[in-house]
């Protein structure tokens, strides 16, 4: 039975996505999460999840960092980014960081159903209104290199990196992950080498480069 995880912090929007997804595929198992922490916990509990509909600006997620975390920790799960941001350059970045599709929140339910069917069939999907603009948007060599470096991290190394970016010290990270402090130090050494950075501050900057402004907040 195919399985879908809807990741969005708005209950009404999750309900609409659930209804459309159920109409797109029969016998679809649908679960929900309202924060990035909930998404990662759900994937740890059910790693055979086939597809995620991921809001770029849900709690705990700031732009493309959540997508990068999912791709690093659960590379077998396909991700369709769902966002109010329809800037072709942002869409291009999401695809470069491993998204299988991109769905603006202004899309209709028919487009959502088409997106789910396409990605479940292992195809990349974009709405017709964005395809030409996204094809003209140039991939950033820096962004592509960043995606490759992040993808080289193990799931545990990415967790350590995320906690470093939150400002936690080695002992705090060890307590959070239930490991020895020397294990955290070993992970940090590997992270610095794979990301091509020298210290914690530079490592934190790598994740901050994935942050995006939220159009919904800009409108307030």
């Amino acid at each position: 039975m195919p399985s879908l995880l809807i990741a969005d912090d708005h209950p009404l929007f999750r309900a609409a996505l659930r209804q459309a997804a159920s109409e797109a595929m029969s016998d679809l198992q649908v679960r929900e999460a309202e924060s990035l922490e909930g998404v990662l916990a759900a994937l740890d509990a059910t790693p055979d999840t086939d597809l995620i509909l991921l809001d770029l600006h849900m709690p705990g997620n700031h732009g493309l960092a959540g997508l990068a975390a999912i791709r690093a920790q659960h590379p077998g799960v396909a991700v369709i980014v769902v966002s109010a941001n329809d800037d072709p350059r942002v869409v291009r970045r999401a695809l470069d960081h491993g998204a299988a599709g991109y769905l603006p929140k202004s899309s209709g339910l028919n487009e959502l159903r088409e997106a789910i069917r396409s990605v479940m069939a292992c195809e990349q999907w974009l709405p017709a209104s964005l395809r030409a603009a996204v094809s003209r948007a140039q991939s950033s060599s820096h962004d592509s290199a960043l995606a490759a470096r992040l993808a080289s991290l193990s799931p545990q190394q990415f967790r350590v990196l995320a906690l470093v970016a939150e400002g936690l010290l080695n002992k705090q990270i060890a307590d959070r992950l239930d490991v020895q402090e020397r294990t955290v130090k070993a992970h940090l050494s590997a992270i610095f080498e794979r990301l091509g950075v020298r210290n914690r501050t530079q490592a934190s900057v790598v994740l901050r480069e994935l942050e995006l402004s939220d159009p919904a907040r800009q409108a307030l």
Side-chain angles (χ1 to χ4, degrees):
M1 178 184 295
S3 59
L4 169 70
L5 177 61
I6 297 173
D8 194 283
D9 60 324
H10 295 91
L12 290 178
F13 194 70
R14 289 201 307 271
L17 292 176
R18 175 184 281 270
Q19 179 63 35
S22 298
E23 294 173 1
M25 298 191 70
S26 58
D27 299 324
L28 182 66
Q29 181 181 10
V30 181
R31 290 171 297 127
E32 299 179 8
E34 57 185 23
S35 67
L36 180 60
E37 182 179 1
V39 170
L40 296 175
L43 291 176
D44 286 340
T46 315
D48 59 348
T49 299
D50 295 297
L51 175 63
I52 302 173
L53 300 179
L54 177 69
D55 179 15
L56 284 184
H57 297 286
M58 66 193 307
N61 188 20
H62 305 286
L64 298 172
L67 173 61
I70 293 167
R71 299 302 300 152
Q73 298 181 37
H74 300 275
V77 180
V79 181
I80 296 176
V81 168
V82 181
S83 175
N85 193 330
D86 59 1
D87 184 333
R89 293 167 298 180
V90 172
V91 179
R92 180 74 268 163
R93 291 191 71 194
L95 296 178
D96 288 344
H97 279 277
Y102 198 101
L103 188 75
K105 287 193 173 182
S106 58
S107 301
L109 294 181
N110 286 337
E111 286 184 309
L112 172 59
R113 289 189 282 266
E114 181 185 340
I116 291 173
R117 293 190 187 109
S118 295
V119 172
M120 284 291 201
C122 300
E123 301 172 358
Q124 189 180 83
W125 190 89
L126 292 175
S129 60
L130 283 176
R131 289 170 193 165
V134 173
S135 68
R136 291 193 298 268
Q138 294 290 325
S139 293
S140 163
S141 58
H142 173 75
D143 225 29
S144 298
L146 174 59
R149 292 199 302 270
L150 290 172
S152 74
L153 300 179
S154 72
Q156 190 74 330
Q157 287 166 355
F158 196 97
R159 294 186 187 103
V160 171
L161 174 61
L163 294 174
V164 167
E166 289 181 19
L168 272 66
L169 302 176
N170 288 357
K171 186 178 187 309
Q172 294 171 312
I173 295 172
D175 291 342
R176 180 79 65 89
L177 298 179
D178 195 23
V179 298
Q180 296 293 320
E181 190 171 350
R182 65 174 178 270
T183 302
V184 174
K185 292 179 180 178
H187 282 317
L188 283 173
S189 296
I191 290 167
F192 294 165
E193 180 179 356
R194 294 186 182 188
L195 295 184
V197 300
R198 297 181 179 179
N199 53 48
R200 303 166 69 94
T201 300
Q202 292 178 346
S204 299
V205 169
V206 170
L207 277 190
R208 285 200 292 271
E209 290 181 25
L210 298 175
E211 294 181 354
L212 298 170
S213 59
D214 184 353
R217 291 186 180 275
Q218 289 179 329
L220 295 178

